[in-house]
């Protein structure tokens, strides 16, 4: 995995000018690259930085154009990989999105890693060493674009198979988001507004994470949302005692309309059962 902050502006703009001739569009993209970035530090204070402009490298994190520019510059790496014969030599295919990529090869994984590092140095790109490693599938698993790819076992017959599933980090992240949304400081919200916010976040998450064995992840997120909404209702209405008796799951789903994550209710095509 490379870093958005390492993409050199000069080389990137050369790649852009090969495809865009309109000088006004080119000027707009350059301004986008050099624009100050507003960040929030650990104390919650906002500060503006001009790091990309000062260093002459990097694309702004979170900007709509950043994944497009990153994919465009990553094309240099993919073409170089093929032209240098690495794809055939290692029987390797590259799968990438923006600054994240996986090299799937049948043999000589360590040599493929060295070849990748050599090309990246020529492209003046920096590798994120914490997230870059060799994975021996199917004995080991790896995360890519929020999914964990590895071995699973069928509940029906116990057979082993390789598939993708929502990663633990992404399940924990959506649960943290739900916890933040149901914090006591939001007790001033209307119940319908609060449930609508929860539904929007949960359905959006589930529409992306709809591949592989998702029954258990969906259940984990749904149960967490029920617990947190129940607690929020108790704090909002100052209810004493056990909230389960006052706000059972049936009340949360049927009366308040809290979504229950099930693939059949999301209207998305199922690619993997």
């Amino acid at each position: 995995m490379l870093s958005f902050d390492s993409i050199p502006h000069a080389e990137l703009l050369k790649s852009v000018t090969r495809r865009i001739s309109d000088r006004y569009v080119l000027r707009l993209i350059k301004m986008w690259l050099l624009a100050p970035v507003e960040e929030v530090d650990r104390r919650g204070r906002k500060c503006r930085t001009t790091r990309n402009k000062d260093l002459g490298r990097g694309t702004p994190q979170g900007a709509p154009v950043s994944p497009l520019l990153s994919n465009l510059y990553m094309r240099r790496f993919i073409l170089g990989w093929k032209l240098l014969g690495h794809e055939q030599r290692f029987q390797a295919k590259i799968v990438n999105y923006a600054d994240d990529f996986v090299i799937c090869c049948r043999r000589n994984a360590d040599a493929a890693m060295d070849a990748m590092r050599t090309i990246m140095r020529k492209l003046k790109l920096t590798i994120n060493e914490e997230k870059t490693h060799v994975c021996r599938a199917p004995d080991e698993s790896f995360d890519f674009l929020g999914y964990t790819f590895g071995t699973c076992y069928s509940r029906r017959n116990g057979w082993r198979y390789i598939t993708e599933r929502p990663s633990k980090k992404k399940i924990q992240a959506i649960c943290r988001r739900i916890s933040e949304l149901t914090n006591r400081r939001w007790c001033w919200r209307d119940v319908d507004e609060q449930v609508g916010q929860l539904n929007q976040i949960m359905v959006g998450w589930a529409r992306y994470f709809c591949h592989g064995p998702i029954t258990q992840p969906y259940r984990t997120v749904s149960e967490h949302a029920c617990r947190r909404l129940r607690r929020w209702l108790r704090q909002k209405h100052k209810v004493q005692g056990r909230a389960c008796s006052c706000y059972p799951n049936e009340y949360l789903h049927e009366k308040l309309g809290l979504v229950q994550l099930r693939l059949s209710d999301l209207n998305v095509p199922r690619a993997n059962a």
Side-chain angles (χ1 to χ4, degrees):
M1 180 177 181
L2 62 92
S3 172
F4 272 122
D5 293 334
S6 66
I7 300 178
H9 290 172
E11 286 78 0
L12 174 61
L13 289 175
K14 287 180 181 179
S15 297
V16 174
T17 53
R18 293 192 185 101
R19 295 161 176 83
I20 299 176
S21 58
D22 191 315
R23 60 190 178 94
Y24 296 106
V25 175
L26 293 173
R27 182 172 179 270
L28 178 62
I29 293 175
K30 186 175 181 180
M31 291 173 60
W32 211 324
L33 291 174
L34 302 179
V37 177
E38 187 174 272
E39 299 176 339
V40 179
D41 60 18
R42 294 181 178 179
R43 297 183 179 180
R45 298 175 301 184
K46 294 183 178 180
C47 58
R48 301 184 74 187
T49 64
T50 58
R51 180 177 51 195
N52 293 346
K53 180 180 179 181
D54 298 338
L55 299 178
R57 57 196 308 121
T59 59
Q61 289 273 8
V65 76
S66 292
L68 175 62
L69 295 177
S70 183
N71 270 322
L72 179 60
Y73 198 70
M74 270 293 292
R75 188 171 182 271
R76 284 187 168 192
F77 167 68
I78 296 173
L79 289 177
W81 185 264
K82 294 178 179 179
L83 291 174
L84 293 173
H86 297 323
E87 182 178 73
Q88 185 175 2
R89 183 179 304 110
F90 304 121
Q91 295 185 16
K93 296 289 185 180
I94 298 175
V95 182
N96 82 290
Y97 175 77
D99 65 335
D100 208 354
F101 68 94
V102 172
I103 302 176
C104 304
C105 55
R106 291 186 177 274
R107 59 175 181 267
N108 299 328
D110 293 326
M113 177 82 79
D114 293 337
M116 178 270 293
R117 294 182 187 279
T118 300
I119 297 177
M120 288 298 179
R121 284 194 295 268
K122 292 181 179 179
L123 294 176
K124 301 180 182 180
L125 294 174
T126 303
I127 300 296
N128 188 330
E129 297 296 344
E130 294 182 1
K131 298 183 179 181
T132 303
H133 65 279
V134 174
C135 177
R136 311 288 180 179
D139 298 327
E140 299 175 335
S141 61
F142 65 92
D143 291 351
F144 181 56
L145 300 182
Y147 279 91
T148 296
F149 293 81
T151 301
C152 286
Y153 294 88
S154 173
R155 292 186 176 182
R156 290 178 295 181
N157 50 34
W159 288 359
R160 189 176 78 162
Y161 63 100
I162 300 175
T163 188
E164 72 279 10
R165 61 189 183 276
S167 69
K168 291 183 179 180
K169 289 183 179 180
K170 293 303 179 181
I171 297 174
Q172 293 170 354
I174 183 65
C175 287
R176 284 196 300 269
R177 182 72 182 92
I178 292 172
S179 297
E180 293 170 1
L181 190 63
T182 52
N183 189 281
R184 65 169 65 234
R185 70 175 181 271
W186 302 111
C187 286
W188 57 268
R189 275 184 177 158
D190 180 74
V191 174
D192 290 339
E193 180 184 0
Q194 180 73 326
V195 173
Q197 289 274 353
L198 286 173
N199 287 346
Q200 184 179 15
I201 292 173
M202 293 168 62
V203 171
W205 182 87
R207 285 184 181 275
Y208 179 79
F209 293 103
C210 60
H211 301 287
I214 43 77
T215 302
Q216 185 58 46
Y218 280 13
R219 183 183 296 119
T220 299
V221 175
S222 293
E223 291 177 353
H224 182 75
C226 286
R227 286 195 300 270
R228 293 297 305 185
L229 180 59
R230 201 178 287 122
R231 179 180 178 180
W232 180 84
L233 288 168
R234 186 180 62 184
Q235 293 171 342
K236 179 177 178 64
H237 299 299
K238 297 179 174 58
V239 175
Q240 300 295 326
R242 297 187 62 182
C244 294
S245 58
C246 299
Y247 307 109
N249 288 356
E250 293 77 12
Y251 176 82
L252 300 180
H253 295 306
E254 298 174 9
K255 182 70 174 179
L256 300 185
L258 179 66
V259 68
Q260 190 171 5
L261 294 185
R262 291 178 298 205
L263 194 65
S264 57
D265 299 335
L266 298 176
N267 297 321
V268 294
R270 187 67 192 277
N272 225 341

Coordinates of all heavy atoms in Angstrom, one line a residue, residues 105-156:
C105 N 0.3 -13.6 -6.7 CA 1.2 -14.4 -7.5 C 1.3 -15.8 -7.0 O 1.0 -16.1 -5.8 CB 2.6 -13.7 -7.4 SG 3.3 -13.5 -5.7
R106 N 1.6 -16.7 -7.9 CA 1.7 -18.1 -7.7 C 3.0 -18.6 -7.0 O 3.1 -19.6 -6.4 CB 1.4 -18.9 -8.9 CG 0.0 -18.8 -9.5 CD -0.2 -19.7 -10.6 NE -1.6 -19.6 -11.1 CZ -2.6 -20.3 -10.6 NH1 -2.4 -21.2 -9.6 NH2 -3.8 -20.2 -11.1
R107 N 4.1 -17.8 -7.2 CA 5.4 -18.2 -6.7 C 6.3 -17.0 -6.5 O 5.9 -15.9 -7.0 CB 6.0 -19.2 -7.7 CG 6.3 -18.7 -9.1 CD 7.0 -19.7 -9.9 NE 7.3 -19.3 -11.3 CZ 6.5 -19.5 -12.3 NH1 5.4 -20.2 -12.1 NH2 6.8 -19.0 -13.5
N108 N 7.4 -17.2 -5.8 CA 8.4 -16.2 -5.6 C 7.8 -14.9 -5.1 O 8.0 -13.8 -5.7 CB 9.1 -15.9 -7.0 CG 9.8 -17.2 -7.5 OD1 10.3 -18.0 -6.7 ND2 9.9 -17.3 -8.8
A109 N 7.0 -15.0 -4.0 CA 6.4 -13.8 -3.4 C 7.4 -12.8 -3.0 O 7.3 -11.6 -3.1 CB 5.5 -14.2 -2.3
D110 N 8.5 -13.3 -2.4 CA 9.6 -12.3 -1.9 C 10.2 -11.6 -3.0 O 10.5 -10.4 -2.9 CB 10.6 -13.1 -1.1 CG 10.0 -13.7 0.2 OD1 9.1 -13.0 0.8 OD2 10.4 -14.8 0.6
A111 N 10.5 -12.3 -4.1 CA 11.1 -11.6 -5.3 C 10.1 -10.6 -5.9 O 10.5 -9.5 -6.4 CB 11.5 -12.7 -6.3
A112 N 8.8 -11.0 -5.9 CA 7.8 -10.0 -6.4 C 7.8 -8.8 -5.5 O 7.6 -7.7 -6.0 CB 6.5 -10.7 -6.4
M113 N 7.9 -9.0 -4.2 CA 7.9 -7.8 -3.3 C 9.1 -6.9 -3.6 O 9.0 -5.7 -3.6 CB 8.0 -8.3 -1.9 CG 8.1 -7.2 -0.8 SD 6.5 -6.5 -0.4 CE 5.9 -7.7 0.7
D114 N 10.3 -7.5 -3.8 CA 11.5 -6.7 -4.2 C 11.3 -5.9 -5.5 O 11.7 -4.8 -5.6 CB 12.7 -7.6 -4.3 CG 13.1 -8.2 -2.9 OD1 12.7 -7.6 -1.9 OD2 13.8 -9.2 -2.9
A115 N 10.7 -6.6 -6.5 CA 10.4 -5.9 -7.8 C 9.5 -4.8 -7.6 O 9.6 -3.7 -8.2 CB 9.9 -7.0 -8.8
M116 N 8.5 -5.0 -6.8 CA 7.5 -3.9 -6.5 C 8.2 -2.7 -5.9 O 8.0 -1.5 -6.3 CB 6.4 -4.4 -5.6 CG 5.3 -3.4 -5.2 SD 5.7 -2.5 -3.7 CE 5.6 -3.8 -2.5
R117 N 9.0 -2.9 -4.9 CA 9.7 -1.8 -4.2 C 10.7 -1.1 -5.2 O 10.8 0.2 -5.1 CB 10.6 -2.4 -3.1 CG 9.7 -2.9 -1.9 CD 10.6 -3.4 -0.8 NE 9.9 -4.1 0.2 CZ 9.2 -3.5 1.2 NH1 9.2 -2.2 1.3 NH2 8.5 -4.2 2.1
T118 N 11.3 -1.8 -6.1 CA 12.2 -1.1 -7.1 C 11.4 -0.2 -8.0 O 11.8 0.9 -8.2 CB 12.9 -2.2 -7.9 OG1 13.7 -3.1 -7.1 CG2 13.8 -1.6 -9.0
I119 N 10.2 -0.6 -8.5 CA 9.4 0.2 -9.3 C 8.9 1.4 -8.6 O 8.9 2.5 -9.1 CB 8.3 -0.6 -9.9 CG1 8.8 -1.7 -10.8 CG2 7.3 0.3 -10.7 CD1 7.7 -2.6 -11.4
M120 N 8.5 1.2 -7.3 CA 8.0 2.3 -6.5 C 9.0 3.4 -6.3 O 8.7 4.6 -6.3 CB 7.4 1.8 -5.2 CG 6.1 1.0 -5.3 SD 4.8 2.0 -5.9 CE 3.5 0.8 -6.0
R121 N 10.3 3.0 -6.1 CA 11.3 3.9 -5.9 C 11.5 4.8 -7.1 O 11.8 6.0 -7.0 CB 12.6 3.2 -5.5 CG 12.7 2.8 -4.0 CD 14.1 2.4 -3.6 NE 14.6 1.3 -4.4 CZ 14.5 0.0 -3.9 NH1 13.9 -0.3 -2.8 NH2 14.9 -1.0 -4.7
K122 N 11.5 4.1 -8.3 CA 11.6 4.9 -9.5 C 10.5 5.9 -9.8 O 10.6 6.9 -10.4 CB 11.7 3.9 -10.7 CG 13.0 3.1 -10.7 CD 13.0 2.1 -11.9 CE 14.3 1.3 -12.0 NZ 14.3 0.4 -13.1
L123 N 9.3 5.5 -9.3 CA 8.1 6.4 -9.4 C 8.1 7.4 -8.3 O 7.1 8.2 -8.2 CB 6.8 5.5 -9.4 CG 6.6 4.6 -10.6 CD1 5.4 3.8 -10.4 CD2 6.6 5.4 -11.9
K124 N 9.0 7.4 -7.3 CA 9.1 8.3 -6.2 C 7.9 8.2 -5.3 O 7.4 9.2 -4.7 CB 9.2 9.8 -6.7 CG 10.4 10.0 -7.6 CD 10.5 11.5 -8.1 CE 11.7 11.7 -9.0 NZ 11.7 13.1 -9.5
L125 N 7.5 7.0 -5.1 CA 6.4 6.7 -4.2 C 6.9 6.0 -2.9 O 7.9 5.3 -2.9 CB 5.4 5.8 -4.9 CG 4.6 6.4 -6.1 CD1 3.7 5.3 -6.8 CD2 3.8 7.6 -5.6
T126 N 6.2 6.3 -1.8 CA 6.6 5.7 -0.5 C 5.6 4.6 -0.1 O 4.4 4.8 -0.2 CB 6.5 6.8 0.6 OG1 7.4 7.9 0.2 CG2 7.0 6.2 1.9
I127 N 6.1 3.5 0.3 CA 5.3 2.3 0.7 C 5.0 2.5 2.2 O 5.8 2.8 3.0 CB 6.0 1.0 0.4 CG1 6.4 0.9 -1.1 CG2 5.2 -0.2 0.9 CD1 5.1 0.8 -1.9
N128 N 3.7 2.1 2.5 CA 3.3 2.1 3.9 C 3.8 0.7 4.4 O 3.1 -0.3 4.2 CB 1.8 2.2 4.0 CG 1.3 2.3 5.5 OD1 2.0 1.8 6.4 ND2 0.2 3.0 5.7
E129 N 4.9 0.7 5.2 CA 5.5 -0.5 5.6 C 4.6 -1.3 6.6 O 4.7 -2.5 6.7 CB 6.9 -0.3 6.2 CG 7.9 0.3 5.2 CD 8.2 -0.6 4.1 OE1 7.9 -1.8 4.2 OE2 8.8 -0.2 3.1
E130 N 3.8 -0.6 7.4 CA 3.0 -1.2 8.4 C 1.9 -2.1 7.8 O 1.5 -3.1 8.3 CB 2.3 -0.2 9.3 CG 3.3 0.6 10.2 CD 2.6 1.6 11.0 OE1 1.4 1.7 11.0 OE2 3.3 2.3 11.8
K131 N 1.5 -1.7 6.6 CA 0.4 -2.5 5.9 C 0.9 -3.3 4.8 O 0.1 -4.0 4.1 CB -0.7 -1.5 5.4 CG -1.3 -0.7 6.5 CD -2.4 0.2 6.0 CE -3.1 0.9 7.1 NZ -4.2 1.8 6.5
T132 N 2.2 -3.4 4.5 CA 2.8 -4.1 3.4 C 3.4 -5.4 3.9 O 4.4 -5.3 4.8 CB 3.8 -3.3 2.6 OG1 3.2 -2.1 2.2 CG2 4.3 -4.0 1.4
H133 N 3.0 -6.6 3.5 CA 3.6 -7.8 3.9 C 3.2 -8.9 2.9 O 2.3 -8.8 2.1 CB 3.1 -8.2 5.3 CG 1.6 -8.5 5.4 ND1 0.7 -7.5 5.5 CD2 0.9 -9.6 5.4 CE1 -0.5 -8.0 5.5 NE2 -0.4 -9.3 5.5
V134 N 3.9 -10.0 3.1 CA 3.6 -11.2 2.2 C 2.7 -12.1 3.0 O 2.9 -12.4 4.2 CB 4.9 -12.0 1.9 CG1 4.6 -13.3 1.2 CG2 5.9 -11.1 1.1
C135 N 1.6 -12.5 2.3 CA 0.6 -13.4 2.9 C 0.5 -14.7 2.1 O 0.4 -14.7 0.9 CB -0.8 -12.7 2.9 SG -2.1 -13.7 3.5
R136 N 0.7 -15.8 2.8 CA 0.6 -17.1 2.2 C -0.8 -17.6 2.3 O -1.2 -18.3 3.2 CB 1.6 -18.1 2.9 CG 3.0 -17.5 3.1 CD 3.8 -17.4 1.9 NE 5.1 -16.9 2.1 CZ 6.1 -16.7 1.2 NH1 5.8 -17.1 0.0 NH2 7.3 -16.2 1.5
A137 N -1.6 -17.4 1.2 CA -2.9 -17.9 1.2 C -3.0 -19.4 0.7 O -2.1 -19.8 0.0 CB -3.8 -17.0 0.2
P138 N -3.9 -20.2 1.2 CA -5.0 -19.8 2.1 C -4.8 -20.0 3.6 O -5.7 -19.8 4.4 CB -6.1 -20.8 1.7 CG -5.3 -22.0 1.3 CD -4.0 -21.6 0.7
D139 N -3.5 -20.3 4.0 CA -3.2 -20.5 5.4 C -3.3 -19.2 6.2 O -3.5 -19.2 7.4 CB -1.8 -21.2 5.5 CG -1.8 -22.5 4.9 OD1 -2.8 -23.2 4.9 OD2 -0.7 -22.9 4.4
E140 N -3.0 -18.1 5.5 CA -3.1 -16.8 6.2 C -4.1 -16.0 5.5 O -4.5 -16.2 4.3 CB -1.7 -16.1 6.1 CG -0.6 -16.9 6.8 CD 0.7 -16.2 6.6 OE1 0.9 -15.5 5.6 OE2 1.6 -16.4 7.5
S141 N -4.6 -15.0 6.2 CA -5.6 -14.1 5.6 C -5.1 -12.7 5.5 O -4.1 -12.3 6.2 CB -6.9 -14.1 6.5 OG -6.6 -13.6 7.8
F142 N -5.7 -11.8 4.7 CA -5.3 -10.4 4.5 C -6.5 -9.5 4.3 O -7.5 -10.0 3.9 CB -4.3 -10.3 3.4 CG -4.9 -10.6 2.0 CD1 -5.4 -9.6 1.2 CD2 -4.9 -11.9 1.5 CE1 -6.0 -9.9 0.0 CE2 -5.4 -12.2 0.3 CZ -6.0 -11.2 -0.5
D143 N -6.4 -8.3 4.7 CA -7.4 -7.3 4.5 C -7.2 -6.4 3.3 O -6.1 -6.0 3.0 CB -7.5 -6.4 5.7 CG -8.0 -7.1 7.0 OD1 -8.4 -8.3 6.8 OD2 -8.0 -6.5 8.1
F144 N -8.3 -6.2 2.5 CA -8.2 -5.3 1.3 C -9.6 -4.7 1.1 O -10.6 -5.4 1.1 CB -7.8 -6.2 0.1 CG -7.7 -5.4 -1.2 CD1 -6.8 -4.3 -1.2 CD2 -8.4 -5.8 -2.3 CE1 -6.7 -3.6 -2.4 CE2 -8.3 -5.0 -3.5 CZ -7.4 -4.0 -3.5
L145 N -9.6 -3.3 1.1 CA -10.8 -2.5 0.9 C -11.9 -2.9 1.9 O -13.1 -3.0 1.5 CB -11.3 -2.7 -0.5 CG -10.3 -2.3 -1.7 CD1 -11.0 -2.5 -3.0 CD2 -9.8 -0.9 -1.5
G146 N -11.5 -3.1 3.1 CA -12.5 -3.4 4.2 C -12.9 -4.8 4.4 O -13.6 -5.1 5.3
Y147 N -12.4 -5.7 3.5 CA -12.8 -7.1 3.5 C -11.6 -7.9 4.0 O -10.4 -7.5 3.7 CB -13.2 -7.6 2.2 CG -14.7 -7.3 1.9 CD1 -15.0 -6.2 1.1 CD2 -15.7 -8.2 2.2 CE1 -16.3 -5.9 0.8 CE2 -17.0 -7.9 1.9 CZ -17.3 -6.8 1.2 OH -18.6 -6.5 0.9
T148 N -11.8 -9.0 4.7 CA -10.8 -10.0 5.0 C -10.9 -11.2 4.1 O -12.0 -11.8 4.0 CB -10.9 -10.5 6.5 OG1 -10.7 -9.4 7.3 CG2 -9.9 -11.5 6.8
F149 N -9.8 -11.5 3.4 CA -9.8 -12.6 2.4 C -9.0 -13.7 3.1 O -7.9 -13.6 3.5 CB -9.2 -12.2 1.1 CG -9.9 -11.1 0.3 CD1 -9.9 -9.8 0.7 CD2 -10.7 -11.5 -0.7 CE1 -10.6 -8.9 -0.1 CE2 -11.5 -10.6 -1.4 CZ -11.4 -9.3 -1.1
G150 N -9.7 -14.9 3.2 CA -9.1 -16.0 3.8 C -10.0 -17.2 3.8 O -11.0 -17.3 3.1
T151 N -9.7 -18.1 4.7 CA -10.4 -19.4 4.8 C -11.6 -19.3 5.7 O -11.6 -18.7 6.8 CB -9.5 -20.5 5.3 OG1 -8.4 -20.6 4.4 CG2 -10.2 -21.8 5.4
C152 N -12.7 -19.8 5.3 CA -13.9 -20.0 6.1 C -14.4 -21.4 6.0 O -14.0 -22.2 5.1 CB -15.1 -19.0 5.6 SG -14.8 -17.3 6.0
Y153 N -15.3 -21.8 7.0 CA -15.8 -23.1 7.0 C -17.3 -23.1 6.9 O -18.0 -22.3 7.6 CB -15.3 -23.8 8.3 CG -13.8 -24.0 8.4 CD1 -13.0 -23.1 8.9 CD2 -13.2 -25.2 7.9 CE1 -11.6 -23.2 9.0 CE2 -11.9 -25.4 8.0 CZ -11.1 -24.4 8.5 OH -9.7 -24.6 8.6
S154 N -17.8 -24.0 6.1 CA -19.3 -24.1 5.9 C -19.9 -24.6 7.2 O -19.5 -25.6 7.8 CB -19.6 -25.0 4.7 OG -21.0 -25.2 4.7
R155 N -21.0 -24.0 7.6 CA -21.8 -24.4 8.8 C -22.6 -25.7 8.5 O -22.9 -26.5 9.4 CB -22.7 -23.3 9.2 CG -22.0 -22.1 9.8 CD -23.1 -21.1 10.4 NE -22.4 -20.0 11.1 CZ -23.1 -19.0 11.7 NH1 -24.4 -19.1 11.7 NH2 -22.4 -18.0 12.2
R156 N -22.8 -25.9 7.2 CA -23.7 -27.1 6.8 C -22.8 -28.4 6.8 O -23.3 -29.4 7.4 CB -24.3 -26.9 5.5 CG -25.4 -25.8 5.5 CD -26.0 -25.6 4.2 NE -25.0 -25.0 3.2 CZ -25.3 -24.7 2.0 NH1 -26.5 -24.9 1.5 NH2 -24.4 -24.2 1.2

